[in-house]
DNA sequence: GCTTGACTCTATACCAAGTATAGAGTTTAC
DNA sequence: GTAAACTCTATACTTGGTATAGAGTCAAGC
């Protein structure tokens, strides 16, 4: 199967498939006489597996590790689980951060109703006054937003 | 004030300050006779303002827009508000995505207790079987995880 | 006057995870 | 035979910085 078909079947772009090959996430396939890549069904399965991992936001390095672990059925799957656990944790932190940011944004946004001029804009004044406060406070480390 | 002092006062690294100058986020400062950058208090305030914006996850292009808008007090502040609104929206979507991902990860993770072998690992089986299912289903668009 | 260390300068390369392009060759359909 | 569609390699670009090399500058101590 040529790369265009594989791309259509997996939903990856042709460039991304070649990129994964360069990154050793996907083995270099056979070539035709005219140097076109020729993929097996296994390559398709591998790419779909990779797709699941990417959908779970794993990095390429992490996926490489999972693929290596998976290659030997007698291996312990411990580091696969560790990878998943780490992600669950990371995502939890990220959600917390985003929620805080969301609140800050909404709070700032509430200080300007609509279509005012710059000099009257509560949003800009907020941003300025926080900056001012940080400027006069030399102890940057202890502040949330500075 | 030299760049090292400015870096210490703002919490940005020296490289980042020079990077912002290259990106036209910060005006090129005066130079000393020996070609060292020499910053004013205004540059400090500008950087602290930029810091607030970055803390709100604005991109450099967005910050540039806000700075340009801010430069003229008679301007309408509408696009500043639009920028903030867009961010609130983006973050909401991102949080929803992450929550879904979190659930998927936890669900997959629950299929492997601890220190099993690869061939018995529920996590790997899950990843595989989703990939299999996607492989036999040609209608990729309508599926959540494929 | 000389050296040492701390500071700054420019230019360039690197990170992740791809995307986009140019320019060349190949295959397929009519 | 030719045109469209496909593939190839190589390279540059994206974002928001970070890290390095190699050179120049400045202040302090001897």
């Amino acid at each position: 199967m040529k790369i265009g078909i594989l791309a259509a079947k997996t939903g990856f772009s042709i460039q991304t498939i070649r990129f994964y090959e360069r990154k050793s996430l996907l083995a270099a396939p056979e070539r035709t006489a005219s140097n076109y890549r020729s993929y097996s069904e296994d390559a398709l399965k591998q790419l779909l597996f990779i797709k699941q991992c990417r959908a779970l936001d794993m990095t390429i390095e992490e996926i490489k590790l999972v693929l290596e672990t998976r290659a030997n059925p007698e291996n312990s799957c411990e580091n696969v689980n560790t990878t998943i656990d780490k992600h669950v944790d990371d995502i939890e932190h990220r959600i917390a951060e985003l929620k805080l940011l969301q609140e800050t944004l909404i709070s700032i946004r509430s200080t300007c109703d609509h279509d005012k001029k710059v000099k009257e804009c509560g949003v800009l004044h907020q941003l300025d006054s926080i900056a001012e406060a940080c400027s006069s406070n030399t102890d940057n480390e202890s502040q949330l937003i500075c």
Side-chain angles (χ1 to χ4, degrees), chain A:
Chain A
M1 153 176 38
K2 281 192 281 183
I3 198 167
I5 305 292
L6 190 61
K9 283 195 179 176
T10 59
F12 284 120
S13 75
I14 290 173
Q15 295 101 304
T16 299
I17 294 172
R18 290 198 280 238
F19 170 74
Y20 284 166
E21 182 182 326
R22 263 204 321 284
K23 290 281 165 180
S24 309
L25 211 54
L26 192 64
E30 304 280 304
R31 298 287 183 127
T32 66
S34 54
N35 202 32
Y36 283 12
R37 288 173 179 82
S38 178
Y39 293 97
S40 65
E41 285 299 314
D42 279 353
L44 170 60
K45 279 183 190 161
Q46 173 107 337
L47 266 180
L48 290 170
F49 185 89
I50 291 169
K51 194 150 208 229
Q52 292 315 306
C53 294
R54 285 295 299 134
L56 299 178
D57 244 12
M58 290 186 207
T59 65
I60 288 180
E61 285 309 312
E62 285 169 336
I63 298 172
K64 220 184 275 186
L65 188 71
V66 172
L67 287 171
E68 276 165 24
T69 304
R70 191 177 68 139
N72 186 348
E74 295 301 324
N75 276 349
S76 158
C77 66
E78 202 186 339
N79 55 27
V80 172
N81 290 334
T82 307
T83 300
I84 304 281
D85 286 342
K86 185 177 154 294
H87 271 278
V88 171
D89 219 54
D90 286 352
I91 291 169
E92 198 136 304
H93 282 124
R94 187 66 187 137
I95 289 175
E97 273 175 17
L98 286 176
K99 277 186 178 164
L100 209 66
L101 180 55
Q102 184 80 315
E103 278 170 33
T104 308
L105 279 169
I106 289 170
S107 150
I108 288 179
R109 181 62 180 85
S110 72
T111 61
C112 188
D113 279 359
H114 53 307
D115 212 15
K116 288 184 175 162
K117 289 189 175 174
V118 162
K119 58 183 176 187
E120 310 150 349
C121 177
V123 171
L124 287 171
H125 287 161
Q126 283 273 315
L127 287 170
D128 252 337
S129 63
I130 301 170
E132 291 281 342
C134 297
S135 169
S136 61
N137 187 337
T138 51
D139 178 19
N140 279 351
E141 297 309 318
S142 70
Q143 295 173 319
L144 188 70
I145 206 159
C146 305

